[in-house]
Amino acid sequence: MRAMPQVEGVTHRFVEANGVRFHVAEAGPADGTPVLFLHGFPQHWYAWRHVVALLPGHHRLVMPDLRGFGWSEAPERGYDTETRVDDVLALMTALGLDRPLLVGHEWGAWVGFMACLRAPERFDRFLALGMIHPWPEHRRLIRHAWRMWYTILWEYPMLGGAVLRHWPAFTRYILRKGVTGTGVWRRAELDEFTESVRPRERAHAGRALHWQYVLRDIPRLVRGSYRTLRLTVPTTLLFGASDFAMSPEALAGGERYATDLEVRVVPGGHYLADERPDLVAETIGLLSTASAGVEEPIG
């Protein structure tokens, strides 16, 4: 098993939920304000390393590795969105998380949207990073579909697993392309995330995650299936103005399907927690105290 990177103040344990053994990184007091983080691809709990250091110590920060990634179990199946939502809800029960602030990036944000739609009573607020909401305008979505060209090399059976395993330079290229600053990534960080998806079972998980989205979620978006659903969890969506993977244009109109949805296009790229951890931490701090109407500083 690969050595785990270390972050000051972060502890680690394994939890069984929905038939899967999950690795969970945690920081802060057990009775603190709960914040649940869901990472994107090709990352794991370590994606939140910079954000953790900036949040006040009274938060309980819970950072699981999702099914198939990091140090969580990587079964053959279960990478469709519905099963991944099952994972999140079961993991919350196992960890005793009661109405946390949910923070998700990219695929973690997509699962976050679906979890909030299915079980809104289980979440206090939702912060989504670098992902479209479930109600994009079709015309604009189609016009910018070319931006997702790189996923073709990850999603197809046979091809996707081989690319992730044997072409690590491509994974590094996508990570670099996902930020706007030249000094965002350290070499060790690029190596960590790139190597984490190279083992056979991890590469399979990465390929299956993308393929299930193609098979199931994209047809639902095209059919407008999510337009029968309403998002009632107060939600903030931070989207990088220079995100290479998706266009902010597709975000227009989501407010019609939500009780409280704020979309903010901010300077930065796709990996906001890596490039703009100060902004992410500040937003978490404000959202976590919004109910009490009290603002708190970060750091």
Side-chain angles (χ1 to χ4, degrees):
M1 180 175 289
R2 295 172 49 253
M4 191 178 299
Q6 299 299 308
V7 175
E8 185 177 357
V10 174
T11 61
H12 303 270
R13 59 170 161 154
F14 291 87
V15 177
E16 295 282 341
N18 200 31
V20 175
R21 187 172 185 255
F22 289 95
H23 164 251
V24 182
E26 296 175 283
D31 60 351
T33 303
V35 185
L36 174 62
F37 294 87
L38 305 179
H39 63 80
F41 185 85
Q43 296 186 294
H44 46 68
W45 73 270
Y46 194 56
W48 310 108
R49 64 201 177 282
H50 298 315
V51 176
V52 167
L54 295 174
L55 286 172
H58 59 77
H59 289 88
R60 178 190 177 189
L61 309 179
V62 180
M63 301 162 282
D65 289 336
L66 297 175
R67 173 188 295 248
F69 300 99
W71 286 263
S72 288
E73 189 178 357
E76 183 74 15
R77 301 179 182 276
Y79 299 98
D80 58 283
T81 300
E82 290 81 1
T83 302
R84 283 157 49 83
V85 171
D86 291 341
D87 287 347
V88 170
L89 297 178
L91 189 56
M92 287 172 58
T93 299
L95 293 169
L97 282 179
D98 181 28
R99 291 180 55 79
L101 165 61
L102 179 63
V103 182
H105 170 244
E106 190 199 59
W107 295 124
W110 185 252
V111 169
F113 273 114
M114 297 302 137
C116 288
L117 287 169
R118 186 197 296 182
E121 73 283 355
R122 301 199 62 180
F123 302 97
D124 180 57
R125 292 176 181 270
F126 177 36
L127 173 60
L129 309 172
M131 189 61 181
I132 60 171
H133 53 64
W135 309 280
E137 293 191 359
H138 287 176
R139 176 169 48 85
R140 297 182 182 186
L141 188 65
I142 292 171
R143 184 162 69 239
H144 292 280
W146 62 269
R147 292 170 176 264
M148 299 290 289
W149 64 269
Y150 64 96
T151 63
I152 294 174
L153 297 178
W154 284 341
E155 66 198 20
Y156 282 96
M158 305 295 292
L159 174 64
V163 168
L164 289 168
R165 292 185 66 205
H166 302 300
W167 194 10
F170 183 69
T171 305
R172 288 193 185 92
Y173 165 75
I174 295 300
L175 287 165
R176 290 193 180 101
K177 191 174 178 62
V179 299
T180 60
T182 57
V184 173
W185 296 114
R186 293 181 300 178
R187 178 58 185 266
E189 294 167 343
L190 287 173
D191 288 347
E192 173 57 45
F193 294 129
T194 299
E195 293 301 314
S196 74
V197 293
R198 292 192 70 187
R200 183 182 298 275
E201 71 279 7
R202 308 294 167 182
H204 167 76
R207 198 278 306 169
L209 170 68
H210 288 82
W211 188 236
Q212 287 297 317
Y213 184 80
V214 170
L215 289 181
R216 298 169 183 257
D217 298 81
I218 289 180
R220 290 170 183 159
L221 282 170
V222 172
R223 293 193 303 265
S225 300
Y226 300 115
R227 294 181 181 179
T228 63
L229 305 175
R230 185 167 185 82
L231 180 65
T232 59
V233 176
T235 298
T236 300
L237 197 164
L238 297 184
F239 199 94
S242 301
D243 193 317
F244 79 100
M246 290 163 280
S247 170
E249 287 187 19
L251 301 175
E255 295 84 357
R256 295 195 301 268
Y257 304 94
T259 301
D260 182 2
L261 172 63
E262 179 189 11
V263 176
R264 293 173 53 195
V265 179
V266 300
H270 186 64
Y271 294 96
L272 287 175
D274 301 277
E275 185 173 6
R276 299 293 312 278
D278 55 336
L279 174 63
V280 174
E282 180 180 25
T283 306
I284 291 171
L286 293 173
L287 293 177
S288 68
T289 57
S291 297
V294 178
E295 295 188 5
E296 61 183 31
I298 64 171

